[in-house]
Amino acid sequence: MPEYGYFLSCEQYGPAELIEQARMAEQAGFQALWISDHYHPWNGEQGQSPFVWSVIGALSDAVSLPVETAVTCPTVRVHPAVVAQAAATSAVMTDGRFRLGVGTGEALNEHILGDAWPAAHVRLEMLEEAILIMRRLFTGEEVNHHGTHYTVENARLYTVPDEPVPIDISGFGPAATKLAARVGDGYITMMPDASMVEQYRKGGGGGRLVSGGTKVCYDTDRDAAVRTVHRLWANELLPGELGQVLPSPKHFEQAQTLVTEDMVRSNRVCGDDADEHVAELRRFADAGFDRVYVNQIGPDLRGFFDFYRTKVLPRLHEES
C-alpha cells in the first residue's frame, strides 16, 4: 500500500505558511513531506522562494513526518560538498527522517552565478559525480576528490547522522531513470508512468523507494479552481525542455501565455469531487509507486486538508 504525503511548495508560500501547512498535513493524516528547492519561483504570481534548508530546520521541530527535498540540484549553484553538509545536518535534526532528492536542475535556478548551463548529458555526468562526493562525505571521513567536474580538498563532515542520508534521483526520461536505477537509493518522477517505474526496477532499482507527486486545486467552485491553476501554475503544462532551459520567471510568464484554461481543465484535478481526487492519486499507486505526494494550489488550505482527511485519504487506504 502506498504512503500518501503532502508536497510543500517553496515557490508559492513563505516559511511560516509552509510550516503551518506541514502541521495541518500531519493532523490530516498525511504520512510524509516533500519540499521543493528553488532559488526563483516559476513566475511572479507564485511570488516566493525561501531557502529550503532553513525551512527544513523549522520542520524538524514542528512535525514528526519524514521530509525529502523534491528536488535539490547539487551541481551548479551549490557545490555538492555544501549540499552534503546541509543534508547531513537535516538528517540529524529530523532523527534520520530526511531523504535527499536530487536532479539535474533548471536554468531558472542554477544559472544565477553566471555559469554556463550545460547540456543534458553533461548535467547527468555532473550529478553522478556529485552523488559520489556526497556519499563519501556522509561517512564522516576526510574526503579529497579531483574529478572531471569537482574538486574537494580536506573536506570532512563532523555532524553526520547514524546512517548515511538516502539519495533519491529524479528522472523524467530513459537516461536519468537509468542513472537512478544504477546509483540511486530511490527514484522520483512526476508522471504516473508504469513503464518508467518498470525500467527503474528492472535496471537495478529493485524494491527501492519510488516516489511521485501531483498538484491539485481543491475549491468548491470548479471554474474558480481552474482560473487559480491557470494563474499560478500554467508553467507545468509547457511542453518539452522549456522547464529546464528558460532562464527567468519573466520568460516562463511569456511562454505560459500559450497555455489556456481549457488545457488546465483537461490536465489538472480542480474542484471538490472526491472521486476525481482519489482517481488522480490512484494512478500513481496503480503504476507501482511507493509514495505519492499531493500539493494544494488554491488558497483554501484548511478546506483542502479537511477534505483529504475526511473524504480522500480514508478511501485511498481502504481501496489499497
Side-chain angles (χ1 to χ4, degrees), residues 120-165:
H121 74 279
V122 176
R123 300 202 307 271
L124 280 171
E125 291 175 5
M126 295 173 73
L127 182 60
E128 183 168 3
E129 186 175 338
I131 291 168
L132 170 66
I133 292 167
M134 293 189 293
R135 285 221 172 98
R136 290 179 62 191
L137 286 165
F138 290 153
T139 66
E141 299 175 357
E142 183 177 294
V143 173
N144 290 280
H145 174 89
H146 297 274
T148 303
H149 301 286
Y150 303 105
T151 297
V152 178
E153 292 185 351
N154 307 120
R156 178 184 172 189
L157 297 182
Y158 282 82
T159 301
V160 294
D162 293 335
E163 298 293 333
V165 179

Side-chain angles (χ1 to χ4, degrees), residues 272-315:
D272 61 352
D273 186 327
D275 290 343
E276 293 182 7
H277 286 261
V278 169
E280 173 68 6
L281 272 64
R282 283 297 304 171
R283 291 169 64 208
F284 288 86
D286 292 343
F289 285 71
D290 302 303
R291 282 186 181 170
V292 186
Y293 296 82
V294 60
N295 171 253
Q296 160 68 354
I297 292 176
D300 188 2
L301 288 159
R302 191 161 298 282
F304 165 83
F305 284 115
D306 285 344
F307 176 67
Y308 266 67
R309 177 179 58 83
T310 59
K311 296 184 178 180
V312 178
L313 293 177
R315 281 182 56 184

Side-chain angles (χ1 to χ4, degrees), residues 149-314:
H149 301 286
Y150 303 105
T151 297
V152 178
E153 292 185 351
N154 307 120
R156 178 184 172 189
L157 297 182
Y158 282 82
T159 301
V160 294
D162 293 335
E163 298 293 333
V165 179
I167 300 176
D168 299 339
I169 299 175
S170 174
F172 300 99
T177 303
K178 183 177 180 180
L179 177 65
R182 185 162 52 83
V183 304
D185 296 307
Y187 176 51
I188 293 171
T189 189
M190 298 302 289
M191 295 296 294
D193 188 334
S195 65
M196 299 301 286
V197 175
E198 183 180 13
Q199 180 194 338
Y200 170 73
R201 296 208 184 280
K202 289 186 175 180
R208 285 175 276 174
L209 185 70
V210 174
S211 302
T214 188
K215 293 182 181 295
V216 302
C217 187
Y218 167 83
D219 196 305
T220 55
D221 183 332
R222 182 186 296 269
D223 291 335
V226 170
R227 291 192 296 271
T228 297
V229 176
H230 186 257
R231 177 173 61 87
L232 290 169
W233 285 93
N235 59 280
E236 287 214 320
L237 298 179
L238 294 174
E241 294 185 63
L242 289 178
Q244 283 71 54
V245 301
L246 293 180
S248 75
K250 69 180 180 181
H251 292 100
F252 280 92
E253 290 163 10
Q254 293 165 2
Q256 68 190 36
T257 60
L258 302 172
V259 178
T260 67
E261 288 188 6
D262 284 342
M263 292 167 66
V264 170
R265 198 182 306 273
S266 300
N267 289 279
R268 280 288 172 264
V269 173
C270 296
D272 61 352
D273 186 327
D275 290 343
E276 293 182 7
H277 286 261
V278 169
E280 173 68 6
L281 272 64
R282 283 297 304 171
R283 291 169 64 208
F284 288 86
D286 292 343
F289 285 71
D290 302 303
R291 282 186 181 170
V292 186
Y293 296 82
V294 60
N295 171 253
Q296 160 68 354
I297 292 176
D300 188 2
L301 288 159
R302 191 161 298 282
F304 165 83
F305 284 115
D306 285 344
F307 176 67
Y308 266 67
R309 177 179 58 83
T310 59
K311 296 184 178 180
V312 178
L313 293 177

Side-chain angles (χ1 to χ4, degrees), residues 83-141:
V83 174
Q85 184 184 27
T89 299
S90 297
V92 170
M93 294 184 72
T94 58
D95 294 323
R97 299 189 309 276
F98 177 76
R99 299 180 75 93
L100 177 63
V102 299
T104 57
E106 305 91 16
L108 173 72
N109 300 304
E110 306 307 325
H111 87 293
I112 60 168
L113 303 180
D115 300 277
W117 185 233
H121 74 279
V122 176
R123 300 202 307 271
L124 280 171
E125 291 175 5
M126 295 173 73
L127 182 60
E128 183 168 3
E129 186 175 338
I131 291 168
L132 170 66
I133 292 167
M134 293 189 293
R135 285 221 172 98
R136 290 179 62 191
L137 286 165
F138 290 153
T139 66
E141 299 175 357

Side-chain angles (χ1 to χ4, degrees), residues 33-45:
L33 296 172
W34 257 2
I35 185 166
S36 54
D37 181 357
H38 270 239
Y39 194 89
H40 292 141
W42 296 99
N43 55 58
E45 285 289 335

